[in-house]
């Protein structure tokens, strides 16, 4: 067994695109865990989608060894995602660590997720090592960025390390800081076995593979174990570590991180955050575990023209085995048939799930516009939660509708404060305060309705600040508002998937803008198609998609005019029948048009 005093467990956390994966690659190279022949960019990112998008989606881990002053140390590192949607992945990774490397881009400086991740580490009681990365860039300003860290987070600027993960500058100082500043695990090697399940992955041959961190005791191959929350018992068939490829070992001791295979048939039998203990000598009480993921964005997935509903269900179940942070349940729409209502951590998470469904399962998906959850207080005093406008009760029974609110931190260059505040005002933002990080950069704090920021707010922020703005947010609860349901009727039939919940002050403008967009996106039919936006029984906007016309009298050369009238009347009767039985095909673009409020609706 490796001496516990020479083990260091740490995560790499940062804002998106500040160099986490590149630093992880450099650590693997410098410690010899990966040869030059095996090395590739983003080595730990094992999904094709991660490589194409250049982002980390799932936290990845590796165990490496380094020698300092003649003493060998075991370093267990976890490379975490940087996007706000995967905040939950970061919090899970930190529970398996004693310290973090807080990475900051030397050119971009402190960003919103830098602050959020630093607070997460402080709340978890972890040692923070500030690392100013990308000092090789021509626009790098490492001393200024270190001063920003001290101003905003209270981290002494002299504690910051200056590195370039790309060129390898400063790596020796980084390894020395990891060894000297991050404490060894304080776990009890002689206590009862307590291992935290912080992640799990499915394997078609070996069942669920649990990623564990031993908090106390010792676990060996062949021992009988029990999941304390699930109450299920298994026998360990394989233990191992990620070096960075899975490498079997005979045992794991307190303070170590690894994986466990125990003939667990499916990932449904594993609860993330559960405690593993010995079946014949169980611990008295489990570890604290995790809060379940909070899904804030919902949308419906329906099978496309070339896909059947049972194939979509199978694809969702297979994907859930690999990423159980999203949820799905069956729904039925009058216009679209059978589908599934899915819940996600955020908009990027939703896009990634859709992309993986189409790529990995080769299916065609029609996705409706995403919505957020609302609380509804009925006149009987009951509070219900809805995740789709179609599930809103009859308004005559509703006392008030409450929308989710977020506390948002916007870090922007000071010259763009006016433009950003204008966008915030348009999205019903409530100003809280301003903090100056430096004469050139400020952090604005606002309170927003989540529904106003879920679609294009981040893009507009980036456009208004020429790419230099960043955003982080935290859901703080629900607040009553003047909200109502905006129904969309296509050819006189309500389409649930196009309905939205809007603020009454914006309802008319939003309805008119939406109907105009739908008129552009829905194809013309052989009959007139009316489009209507309604608030309750009142129609507030209407457009008509005119029918395609055919000249049925083209072959009539001269002759009695009654013959032409007869043909026109016959065409008219045919269109009436077609309008009665005809079904309007609604494209994916039409559903997504609901998301874009446009300039008329902001």
């Amino acid at each position: 067994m490796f001496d516990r005093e020479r083990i260091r467990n740490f995560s790499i956390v940062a804002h998106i695109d500040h160099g986490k994966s590149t630093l992880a690659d450099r650590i693997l190279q410098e410690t010899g865990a990966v040869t030059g022949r095996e090395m590739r960019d983003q080595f730990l990112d094992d999904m094709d989608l991660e490589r194409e998008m250049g982002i980390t989606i799932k936290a990845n881990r590796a165990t490496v060894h380094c020698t300092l002053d003649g003493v060998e140390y075991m370093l267990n590192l976890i490379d975490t995602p940087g996007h706000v949607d995967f905040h939950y992945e970061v919090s899970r990774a930190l529970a398996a660590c004693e310290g973090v490397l807080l990475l900051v881009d030397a050119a971009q400086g402190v960003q919103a997720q830098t602050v959020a991740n630093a607070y997460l580490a402080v709340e978890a009681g972890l040692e923070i090592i500030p690392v100013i990365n990308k000092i090789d860039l021509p626009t790098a300003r490492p001393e200024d960025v270190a001063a920003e860290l001290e101003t905003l987070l209270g981290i002494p600027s002299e504690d910051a390390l200056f590195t370039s993960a790309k060129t390898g500058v400063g790596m020796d100082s980084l390894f020395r800081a990891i060894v000297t500043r991050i404490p060894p695990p304080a776990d009890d090697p002689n206590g009862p076995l307590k291992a935290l399940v912080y992640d799990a992955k499915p394997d078609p041959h070996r069942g669920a593979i649990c990623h564990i961190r031993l908090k106390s005791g010792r676990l060996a191959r062949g021992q009988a174990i029990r999941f304390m929350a699930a109450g299920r018992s298994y026998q360990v068939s394989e233990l191992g570590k990620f070096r960075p490829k899975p490498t079997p070992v005979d045992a794991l001791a307190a303070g170590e991180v690894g994986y466990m295979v125990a003939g667990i048939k499916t990932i449904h039998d594993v609860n993330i955050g559960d405690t593993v203990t010995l079946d014949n000598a169980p611990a008295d009480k489990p570890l604290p575990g995790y809060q379940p993921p909070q899904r804030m964005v919902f949308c419906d997935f329906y099978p496309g023209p070339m896909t059947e509903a049972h194939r979509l269900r199978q694809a969702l179940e297979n994907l859930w085995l690999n990423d159980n942070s999203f949820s799905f349940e069956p729904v039925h729409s009058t216009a679209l048939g059978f589908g599934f209502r899915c819940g996600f951590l955020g908009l990027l998470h939703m896009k990634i799930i859709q992309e993986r469904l189409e790529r990995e399962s080769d299916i065609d998906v029609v996705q409706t516009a995403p919505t957020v959850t609302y609380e509804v207080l009925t006149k009987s005093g009951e509070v219900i939660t809805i995740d789709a406008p179609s599930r809103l009760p009859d308004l005559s029974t509703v006392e008030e509708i409450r929308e989710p609110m977020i506390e948002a931190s916007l870090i922007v260059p000071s010259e763009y404060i006016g433009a950003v505040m204008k966008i915030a005002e348009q999205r019903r933002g409530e100003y809280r305060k301003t903090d100056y990080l430096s004469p050139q950069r400020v952090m604005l704090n606002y309170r927003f309705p989540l529904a106003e920021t879920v679609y294009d707010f981040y893009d507009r922020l980036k456009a208004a600040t020429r790419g230099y703005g960043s955003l982080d947010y935290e859901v703080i609860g629900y607040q009553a508002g003047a909200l109502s349901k905006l129904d969309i009727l296509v050819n006189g039939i309500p389409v649930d998937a196009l309905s939205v919940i809007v603020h009454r002050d914006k309802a008319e403008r939003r309805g008119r803008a939406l109907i105009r967009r739908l008129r552009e996106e829905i194809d013309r039919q052989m009959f007139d198609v009316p489009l209507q936006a309604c608030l309750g029984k009142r129609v507030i906007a209407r457009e008509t998609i005119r029918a395609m016309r055919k000249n049925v009298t083209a072959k009539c050369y001269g002759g009695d005019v009654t013959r032409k009238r007869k043909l026109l009347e016959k065409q008219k009767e045919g269109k009436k029948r077609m309008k009665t039985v005809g079904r309007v095909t609604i494209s994916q673009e039409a559903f997504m048009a609901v998301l874009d409020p446009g300039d008329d609706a902001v």
Side-chain angles (χ1 to χ4, degrees):
M1 287 294 171
F2 206 87
D3 183 1
R4 186 166 49 88
E5 293 297 317
R6 292 186 283 120
I7 298 175
R8 301 293 184 270
N9 300 312
F10 65 95
S11 288
I12 306 174
V13 298
H15 190 79
I16 190 170
D17 201 31
H18 278 205
K20 295 180 299 300
S21 297
T22 305
L23 182 61
D25 290 346
R26 178 59 62 179
I27 291 175
L28 294 177
Q29 281 186 302
E30 294 285 335
T31 57
V34 178
T35 65
R37 187 172 186 175
E38 296 173 316
M39 193 62 203
R40 64 177 190 270
D41 289 342
Q42 292 178 264
F43 188 89
L44 295 179
D45 293 339
D46 50 10
M47 273 194 276
D48 291 339
L49 196 57
E50 290 179 311
R51 299 180 179 285
E52 290 178 18
M53 298 181 71
I55 62 173
T56 299
I57 296 170
K58 293 283 290 180
N60 298 291
R61 68 286 306 148
T63 297
V64 299
H65 290 258
C66 78
T67 302
L68 192 66
D69 298 333
V71 179
E72 184 181 2
Y73 292 88
M74 178 194 294
L75 309 182
N76 296 311
L77 75 91
I78 302 179
D79 177 25
T80 63
H83 197 278
V84 63
D85 280 12
F86 306 113
H87 199 65
Y88 178 66
E89 282 280 325
V90 178
S91 65
R92 289 198 329 203
L94 296 188
C97 302
E98 280 76 41
V100 299
L101 302 183
L102 182 64
L103 209 60
V104 188
D105 190 310
Q108 295 184 22
V110 175
Q111 300 290 317
Q113 278 301 106
T114 311
V115 179
N117 289 328
Y119 286 152
L120 270 182
V122 169
E123 290 170 6
L126 305 183
E127 179 67 30
I128 299 176
I129 300 178
V131 181
I132 313 300
N133 191 33
K134 302 187 182 183
I135 60 171
D136 56 307
L137 293 178
T139 55
R141 45 185 186 88
E143 289 82 7
D144 293 342
V145 173
E148 286 181 11
L149 279 172
E150 183 168 358
T151 300
L152 190 59
L153 300 174
I155 300 174
S157 57
E158 57 269 19
D159 290 350
L161 304 176
F162 297 157
T163 66
S164 170
K166 183 177 180 180
T167 63
V169 173
M171 292 304 295
D172 291 339
S173 301
L174 179 66
F175 283 120
R176 186 169 294 278
I178 292 171
V179 168
T180 58
R181 290 160 63 172
I182 295 178
D187 304 322
D188 181 9
N190 301 314
L193 174 65
K194 286 185 181 180
L196 175 69
V197 180
Y198 68 90
D199 203 355
K201 289 186 177 181
D203 186 282
H205 306 294
R206 297 183 292 172
I209 300 175
C210 300
H211 299 178
I212 56 175
R213 156 70 195 271
L214 269 68
K215 294 288 189 177
S216 70
R218 179 179 181 275
L219 180 61
R221 189 172 54 203
Q223 286 185 312
I225 53 97
R226 181 193 304 169
F227 289 91
M228 297 187 74
R232 297 175 180 268
S233 298
Y234 300 92
Q235 186 172 12
V236 178
S237 58
E238 183 182 331
L239 289 172
K241 296 182 178 181
F242 298 96
R243 292 179 172 167
K245 295 180 179 179
T247 305
V249 297
D250 292 331
L252 294 173
E256 295 186 343
V257 177
Y259 69 87
M260 175 186 74
V261 180
I264 306 168
K265 292 182 180 179
T266 73
I267 204 168
H268 295 276
D269 296 333
V270 179
N271 295 326
I272 305 300
D274 204 346
T275 301
V276 175
T277 189
L278 292 179
D279 196 34
N280 57 359
D284 295 335
K285 59 181 181 179
L287 297 166
Y290 304 107
Q291 292 289 335
Q294 188 175 18
R295 292 147 188 133
M296 294 308 302
V297 175
F298 292 82
C299 78
D300 294 346
F301 284 167
Y302 292 93
M306 307 302 293
T307 302
E308 296 176 353
H310 72 89
R311 284 190 59 208
L312 177 57
R313 176 189 286 276
Q314 186 63 48
L316 285 167
E317 288 178 348
N318 291 340
L319 189 56
W320 188 89
L321 295 180
N322 184 254
D323 181 4
N324 62 1
S325 60
F326 82 97
S327 63
F328 64 95
E329 62 179 25
V331 293
H332 179 265
S333 167
T334 306
L336 298 171
F338 288 98
F340 297 89
R341 170 140 288 255
C342 304
F344 308 95
L345 304 179
L347 205 64
L348 178 63
H349 189 210
M350 180 194 74
K351 292 178 181 177
I352 287 169
I353 293 297
Q354 182 189 10
E355 184 75 19
R356 291 185 66 187
L357 276 175
E358 294 179 343
R359 284 186 182 208
E360 298 173 13
S361 300
D362 191 25
I363 62 174
D364 186 22
V365 174
V366 175
Q367 171 201 331
T368 64
T371 62
V372 300
T373 56
Y374 293 88
E375 282 187 352
V376 178
L377 175 64
T378 64
K379 292 184 177 178
S380 63
E382 181 186 6
V383 177
I384 59 176
T385 301
I386 62 168
D387 53 25
S390 59
R391 299 184 178 182
L392 185 68
D394 188 280
L395 291 179
S396 63
T397 67
V398 173
E399 183 69 30
E400 65 181 23
I401 303 174
R402 302 166 182 166
E403 57 187 339
M405 304 296 293
I406 61 171
E407 287 281 358
S409 300
L410 313 169
I411 296 182
V412 300
S414 54
E415 63 263 33
Y416 301 119
I417 290 178
V420 172
M421 294 184 82
K422 182 179 179 182
I423 295 173
E425 182 182 350
Q426 292 169 346
R427 297 307 174 93
R428 295 194 285 133
E430 179 187 335
Y431 172 77
R432 311 296 285 178
K433 65 175 181 176
T434 299
D435 292 321
Y436 276 83
L437 310 182
S438 69
Q440 293 79 33
R441 286 159 51 79
V442 300
M443 182 167 73
L444 302 172
N445 291 95
Y446 272 89
R447 180 171 291 177
F448 286 104
L450 178 60
E452 296 283 353
T453 64
V454 74
Y455 175 54
D456 65 343
F457 180 80
Y458 186 66
D459 293 339
R460 293 195 175 216
L461 173 67
K462 284 290 187 182
T465 60
R466 297 188 180 180
Y468 290 104
S470 65
L471 166 71
D472 177 61
Y473 66 83
E474 178 185 5
V475 179
I476 57 172
Y478 290 83
Q479 179 176 301
L483 304 171
S484 190
K485 180 184 174 186
L486 180 66
D487 286 312
I488 304 299
L489 279 66
V490 178
N491 198 24
I493 300 173
V495 181
D496 292 342
L498 290 175
S499 299
V500 289
I501 293 178
V502 296
H503 196 275
R504 292 195 194 103
D505 292 345
K506 294 186 173 185
E508 188 169 338
R509 285 179 296 166
R510 180 75 181 272
R512 293 182 185 280
L514 176 53
I515 291 297
R516 282 198 295 269
R517 278 180 175 75
L518 287 177
R519 187 185 64 181
E520 296 169 1
E521 298 294 347
I522 296 177
D523 295 334
R524 293 174 69 189
Q525 311 293 316
M526 297 300 294
F527 49 89
D528 287 352
V529 178
L531 305 175
Q532 297 167 300
C534 302
L535 273 181
K537 302 291 185 181
R538 185 166 62 96
V539 177
I540 61 172
R542 174 182 169 125
E543 294 281 348
T544 301
I545 302 174
R546 293 300 178 188
M548 292 188 288
R549 302 187 65 85
K550 180 181 178 182
N551 187 2
V552 294
T553 63
K555 294 183 180 180
C556 294
Y557 299 102
D560 191 355
V561 71
T562 57
R563 186 181 174 194
K564 292 185 179 181
R565 286 178 181 169
K566 190 175 181 180
L567 288 172
L568 290 171
E569 288 297 324
K570 187 176 179 181
Q571 182 189 45
K572 187 176 179 182
E573 289 299 320
K575 287 192 175 184
K576 278 185 180 179
R577 289 196 302 271
M578 198 179 294
K579 187 172 183 180
T580 303
V581 301
R583 180 175 176 179
V584 180
T585 301
I586 303 175
S587 67
Q588 173 74 71
E589 290 74 17
F591 286 109
M592 301 314 288
V594 176
L595 288 172
D596 187 3
D599 296 334
D600 295 333
V602 294

